[in-house]
Amino acid sequence: MSKSVARYFDTMDYGPAPESDTDARQWLSRHAQGFGHFIDGRFTGADSGAHFETVEPATGLLLARIAQGSPADIDTAVTAARAAQPGWMAVGGHARARHLYALARTVQRHARLLAVVEALDNGKPIRETRDIDVPLVARHFYHHAGWAQLQEREFADQVPLGVIGQIVPWNFPLLMLAWKIAPALALGNTVVLKPAELTPLSALLFAELAAQAGLPAGVLNVVTGDGATGAALVAHEGVDKIAFTGSTEVGRLIREATAGSGKSLTLELGGKSPFIVFDDADIDAAVEGVVDSIWLNQGQVCCAGSRLLLQEGIAADFIERLKRRMQQLRVGMPLDKAIDLGSLIDGSQLDRVRSLVATGVREGAQCYQPSCALPTGGSFYPPTLLTGVQPASTVATEEIFGPVLVTMTFRTPDEAVALANNTRYGLAASIWSETIGLALGIAPQLQAGVVWINATNLFDAGVGFGGCRESGYGREGGREGCHEYLKPHAWAARKPRAAQAAPGATGETARAPVTSSTLPAIDRTAKLFIGGKQVRPDGELSHAVFSVSGQRFGEVGTGNRKDIRNAVAAARAADGWSSATPHRRAQALYYLAENLSTRADEFAARLVRFTEVAAGSARAEVDAAVSRLFAYGAWADKYEGTVHVPPLRGVALATVEPIGVVGVVCPDEAPLLSFVSLLAPLLAMGNRTVIVPSESHPLIATDFYQVLETSDLPGGVVNIVTGPAESLMQTLARHDDVDALWVFGAASLSRDAERLSVGNLKRTLVDHGLATDWQDGAAAEGAPFLRHATQVKNIWIPYGE
Ligand code: NDP
């Protein structure tokens, strides 16, 4: 008997096992007249404007007529969201938790319908929508129901942002919706969502189900349409934040469009993620990992492991086993439960994939495709392996966004890291090795927001997801994802700063006496501070510095583009600081505080002369600066990661990493305290900095050189370039080796910083011309700055046999 069963496994032909689409077709036929937008708790009339059609990628057949959203539709939706937001916030965390819980239950109750609609609209296998997308959607709402419940305690000093515009792509339409709306709604924001033109159906079905589940009108609004509809949402003045997932190209457009508007922005963009296999890996497990990594969703996954990096000794064997496995993969109709790959999203994506593969072959790669049959009529493409690929070739650098894997080899772990990081993206990475020490040693060296060890494409609502470099910024999921939808209460209360910092703002009139000891030497010109040394500016230029009332004090170096370039190079070279232990960084900050403290009188006297504040205010500023350095010394070894226990056998380590090289432009007010308040959190978290001090009062920062020189900070960790804030900021913003930019000052500086940072998509922290009370710890110190000084990397470590 057992013998004959075994025989069947060898001889039995594959037969399709289609999932029923009856319920989905019935739902579509109820909307046969066409879908309107979902605004203020109901569908708008379907015939009130232009429409387009959505089709099944696998057959090309019509699925539904969809409304094309106009700027007026966006305006109606934003108005509804704005009107609903105060009430949604006021119901409180527990009530919102109940609503999110109800959404999770609704998703589970309608899981099959959602899975079928998604497979029909997107062309992906039902096996994936049923077993991956929909369960993760439900989990996301459950998890964020919890954050809503805990919001008043866990985020007591934060407030919601308001109305959130969310734009999602076609590759995971329902999952991306959940990743976006669950945290936004949980924390008291309301939403206008624009699904992708090619896959609007699951968002419309979800909106309908949410209304049935009792979600209040106006809290979630869905406006369908194309890129122009998305652009109208981005441009709308009533939107407080844009959360976007999609291509890097559109991410850049959105960064430019929102620059200076005061809107928050998170971008989850493309990737070219490495899949690194060391010679001690479990090869068969790694081969299976490759299948999940690049052929999930036909490779149309932002974090797809599309670059297979093999250690040289195992490369030939690995590729042979992989080719054997590829022969087993089935490409078929999405509703067939027995297939591995469905259809690409449409003909244009198919053309793009075909053309990139042809380019790869033209550039010298060998192309392998298994001899599997492809259904006709849709946009099907076979799983594809390109070998003999050069690291600089098109297919090794461009995101293909299809079922195409490229492979390269390396010899040593260092070479693996160099090859892995040889991309402008930084989303995800997979490491395969049975030596845990090796894998855990490689993970921190990879430029990626997510690292999977002996695993791939694992996701959980409690574990943040997102990238760095041209993969964008911001995280979705977990505590860090919540912060993307909140802002500190103290920041929300900021008011536009006066055009110029007013002297004697406290109203005190007493001035510290001017003595010869507080005057600079007659011929002294303060230099720049680069690479741990005082250096003359490249242009050999200097400019005079005056007090608030016009008294001339001396001269300061006028930095230019070349000085910024030298400073960035020095900061880049000082990478030892980023791997220094938190204890070491804490010690350096305490020591800076100590050195400033011993010179407190001198600094206070200088502040009085430069800014003409009263002696008491000046002393208070110096004392606050000393205290702030101490505070970040304290934080240095306490602001740290966490260990997640996602639903798998294993853990995910959420590690807190420095961003890298950060440019800082300081405001004019409180020139010592603001300088220290911006510098210290960056140092505490291991960043290297290029700082442009207050343009009006730079000498207080140049005085600080002596404090730096007597501390034990390595050269290059702090670089100070004095000069015109605007042009130095522009150089920093355009510099591709600067990873993030903090700009405090005039609103126009913030706008330009955001606009010019699109090149390498650097993260920005700007104040939009709103004044910070630097004495106020709630506004000027602590977690909000530390969050901006770091990025979370989640390292997944499944374990057990
Ligand atoms: P896009 O970035 O164009 O689309 C993502 C979303 O943004 C869609 O809802 C889209 O609308 C909308 N959109 C398009 N233009 C604008 C705009 N100017 N302002 C605001 N919103 C806009 O990706 P595509 O769908 O066109 O795919 C193109 C390529 O992008 C793919 O080949 C792939 O390489 C990459 N991609 C990466 C994804 C990722 O997760 N990293 C996801 C999807 C694509 P509409 O659908 O109507 O165009």
Side-chain angles (χ1 to χ4, degrees), residues 367-569:
C367 176
Y368 173 80
Q369 294 174 333
S371 53
C372 60
L374 300 183
T376 51
S379 298
F380 295 93
Y381 194 80
T384 300
L385 173 67
L386 295 176
T387 51
V389 168
Q390 295 305 312
S393 67
T394 308
V395 286
T397 52
E398 288 285 309
E399 184 180 40
I400 299 177
F401 225 64
V404 182
L405 178 66
V406 304
T407 152
M408 287 164 273
T409 58
F410 64 88
R411 288 185 183 163
T412 63
D414 284 349
E415 225 177 277
V417 170
L419 208 48
N421 288 338
N422 183 29
T423 165
R424 57 184 198 274
Y425 296 110
L427 192 50
S430 229
I431 305 169
W432 293 74
S433 165
E434 289 299 291
T435 310
I436 190 71
L438 173 67
L440 287 176
I442 297 290
Q445 300 179 61
L446 298 179
Q447 296 275 2
V450 186
V451 177
W452 295 290
I453 292 179
N454 294 325
T456 186
N457 278 341
L458 299 175
F459 309 100
D460 181 55
V463 184
F465 181 89
C468 56
R469 307 210 275 193
E470 291 188 30
S471 295
Y473 37 76
R475 294 288 179 269
E476 300 190 288
R479 184 184 284 272
E480 59 264 36
C482 291
H483 284 295
E484 307 288 356
Y485 289 98
L486 295 167
K487 64 180 165 192
H489 187 270
W491 289 10
R494 291 183 304 194
K495 299 273 180 294
R497 63 163 54 76
Q500 208 155 20
T506 60
E508 295 172 63
T509 51
R511 299 267 191 276
V514 178
T515 67
S516 58
S517 69
T518 57
L519 285 171
I522 287 298
D523 62 348
R524 188 176 146 205
T525 297
K527 295 179 185 153
L528 313 182
F529 190 72
I530 296 177
K533 291 198 257 326
Q534 298 192 33
V535 296
R536 285 186 202 290
D538 166 72
E540 298 279 350
L541 284 176
S542 59
H543 57 277
V545 180
F546 300 93
S547 75
V548 169
S549 62
Q551 196 187 340
R552 190 176 191 279
F553 288 120
E555 303 232 319
V556 70
T558 311
N560 65 15
R561 279 165 44 196
K562 194 150 178 221
D563 297 309
I564 291 284
R565 282 210 299 274
N566 292 341
V568 172

Side-chain angles (χ1 to χ4, degrees), residues 128 180 232 313 694 748:
E128 292 178 10
K180 297 262 177 303
S694 156
S748 59

Side-chain angles (χ1 to χ4, degrees), residues 447 468-469 473 568 571-572 578 658-663 687-688 732 735-742 757 760-764 788 791:
Q447 296 275 2
C468 56
R469 307 210 275 193
Y473 37 76
V568 172
R572 180 59 61 196
S578 295
I659 297 173
V661 174
V662 182
N687 297 283
R688 294 96 76 191
L732 283 167
H735 199 305
D736 279 351
D737 220 14
V738 174
D739 302 304
L741 185 59
W742 292 13
S757 65
N760 65 341
L761 281 168
K762 49 178 72 67
R763 260 173 83 178
T764 53
H788 280 278
Q791 53 200 356

Side-chain angles (χ1 to χ4, degrees), residues 287-288 290-291 294-295 308 318-331 340-341 366-373 381-387 403-407:
V287 166
E288 216 45 50
V290 169
V291 173
I294 186 64
W295 292 308
L308 174 62
F318 194 97
I319 286 174
E320 200 186 307
R321 291 199 223 185
L322 181 59
K323 286 180 176 171
R324 258 205 314 272
R325 179 66 180 89
M326 287 172 75
Q327 283 292 349
Q328 310 297 316
L329 294 173
R330 287 195 191 112
V331 183
D340 299 293
L341 286 87
Q366 291 87 53
C367 176
Y368 173 80
Q369 294 174 333
S371 53
C372 60
Y381 194 80
T384 300
L385 173 67
L386 295 176
T387 51
V404 182
L405 178 66
V406 304
T407 152

